[in-house]
Amino acid sequence: MGKKLLLDYGSGGLASHRLVAEVFFKHLKNPILARMDDAAVLKLSGPVAVSTDSFTVDPLFFPGGDIGSLAVHGTVNDVAMMGARPLYLTCGFILEEGFDLDDLERIVASMAAAAKKAKVKVVAGDTKVVPRGAVDKIFINTTGIGEVIASPAPSGHSARAGDVVIISGNLGDHGLTVLSCRQGLSFEAPVKSDCASLNHLVEKLVTGVDTVHVLRDPTRGGLATTLNEIAQQSNVGIVLEEDTIPVDPVVASGCEILGLDPLYLANEGKLICIVPAKQMHKALEIMKRDPLGRKARVIGSVTSDHAGKVVMRTGLGGHRMLGMLEGEQLPRIC
Ligand code: MG
């Protein structure tokens, strides 16, 4: 049995200092964090993008990632989608008394590796330990801060009729992986979360393509819900071509068995890119050259018809309205 977290590790006293030194600093230390003042002082220029997200995924560890790497990728991606270069993260941990210290260290080390790869620094943090049962093992909140480098910055409000909709790769991998892991299900081949930081790919896109109207990561609610948000924000219609939507065959058959629709499953390493038709080739070329965009493809277009709605043209020539996700099908997916 490994060491367990005690309530006094969150007391702010000696035990907390030891936990901070032995786990958090050991992995996340950098000159800004190391100053240990009440707040970090950051140098930033121009418009700044800020996003915050809380991570409660169950189970904590899953093929392709864990709650720590997810807490970095999720927030880095939201900041990046504004055409920004994420630079800093803050993280807040709410920990349950009795949580395994080795697991905590594994999670923090995974955060550190993800942050290093994304080239972001953790500059402030907080730890609370709550009594058994007050939280399930560990919840993490991260806030990301970045400098907006695109001008004009992409936004959900900027899709225009005539634009094309590009997706960076296969859909549904994260949602199906977490769900199958939680329920102990296995399929004919292993599935793996796509969880990854997309900021380097975004930087290449916004610096290499003349005009990027929208970037958004289809996380909770999946592609269908995210496109509905964009259609409403921009007051345009979106038409998808079913045959072009990329789904890994193993994920597709897993979804069929479980009665899930991959268009509504969460992704954690994919982005939707909406650009004017004349920018399509350049955007695709840039995406395909990046390992995280290798399977990028055009899946639809933006129209002035049926404003605020998403319609899918099916393989058989019919039309299917894609609404937003209703209810919570998969709680604690991220
Ligand atoms: Mg997002």
Side-chain angles (χ1 to χ4, degrees):
M1 282 278 276
K3 270 177 80 178
K4 304 288 180 198
L5 203 65
L6 305 174
L7 268 179
D8 58 352
Y9 280 75
S11 64
L14 261 183
S16 307
H17 277 85
R18 211 178 316 128
L19 181 70
V20 167
E22 290 172 9
V23 179
F24 295 105
F25 267 39
K26 179 176 164 192
H27 295 283
L28 300 171
K29 198 169 175 180
N30 60 66
I32 303 174
L33 188 65
R35 291 188 66 84
M36 284 289 274
D37 283 325
D38 274 353
V41 176
L42 308 174
K43 284 203 182 82
L44 292 156
S45 62
V48 167
V50 180
S51 185
T52 194
D53 209 342
S54 298
F55 297 84
T56 64
V57 66
D58 170 35
L60 300 176
F61 301 94
F62 47 84
D66 55 67
I67 191 170
S69 58
L70 194 60
V72 172
H73 298 315
T75 296
V76 161
N77 289 344
D78 277 342
V79 171
M81 295 307 137
M82 302 317 298
R85 179 185 296 142
L87 295 171
Y88 304 113
L89 282 181
T90 71
C91 48
F93 293 83
I94 303 185
L95 304 165
E96 185 186 18
E97 173 191 15
F99 185 54
D100 191 281
L101 270 173
D102 289 338
D103 280 350
L104 177 62
E105 181 157 7
R106 207 174 135 200
I107 289 165
V108 175
S110 167
M111 287 186 89
K116 190 175 174 198
K117 205 166 168 193
K119 298 199 173 108
V120 295
K121 287 188 176 66
V122 173
V123 292
D126 177 58
T127 307
K128 296 285 186 308
V129 183
V130 296
R132 240 174 250 277
V135 68
D136 185 14
K137 301 191 230 12
I138 174 172
F139 288 173
I140 304 175
N141 173 273
T142 50
T143 296
I145 301 160
E147 290 175 344
V148 178
I149 52 171
S151 175
S155 153
H157 298 266
S158 302
R160 296 289 174 267
D163 286 354
V164 294
V165 180
I166 303 173
I167 185 78
S168 63
N170 291 344
L171 294 170
D173 299 8
H174 178 76
L176 190 75
T177 301
V178 171
L179 182 73
S180 58
C181 212
R182 192 185 301 167
Q183 305 198 335
L185 305 168
S186 54
F187 306 109
E188 64 262 43
V191 288
K192 191 172 159 227
S193 167
D194 58 343
C195 131
S197 286
L198 296 162
N199 54 321
H200 304 313
L201 171 58
V202 166
E203 187 155 343
K204 288 180 216 164
L205 269 174
V206 298
T207 52
V209 178
D210 281 347
T211 312
V212 176
H213 281 161
V214 185
L215 290 173
R216 191 162 287 182
D217 52 344
T219 52
R220 268 186 309 174
L223 176 77
T225 303
T226 308
L227 287 178
N228 269 279
E229 290 166 6
I230 297 168
Q232 288 176 13
Q233 282 181 305
S234 296
N235 197 32
V236 293
I238 293 178
V239 183
L240 293 182
E241 304 294 335
E242 184 176 34
D243 292 345
T244 63
I245 296 173
V247 181
D248 181 274
V250 179
V251 171
S253 74
C255 282
E256 224 170 279
I257 294 165
L258 297 169
L260 296 166
D261 186 339
L263 298 182
Y264 289 90
L265 284 182
N267 309 278
E268 292 292 345
K270 297 289 150 43
L271 62 81
I272 297 164
C273 174
I274 301 182
V275 294
K278 63 174 192 295
Q279 311 286 345
M280 176 182 80
H281 290 292
K282 187 71 191 168
L284 275 175
E285 183 195 319
I286 290 172
M287 287 166 90
K288 283 171 180 289
R289 252 189 277 144
D290 188 288
L292 296 175
R294 230 170 4 102
K295 294 187 177 155
R297 60 199 295 186
V298 174
I299 56 170
S301 57
V302 180
T303 165
S304 50
D305 302 337
H306 54 82
K309 303 221 165 15
V310 180
V311 172
M312 185 162 73
R313 272 206 282 259
T314 63
L316 299 168
H319 288 80
R320 178 183 156 202
M321 281 284 297
L322 291 179
M324 286 209 181
L325 178 66
E326 285 178 39
E328 180 63 287
Q329 291 182 329
L330 302 172
R332 296 184 62 187
I333 207 77
C334 55

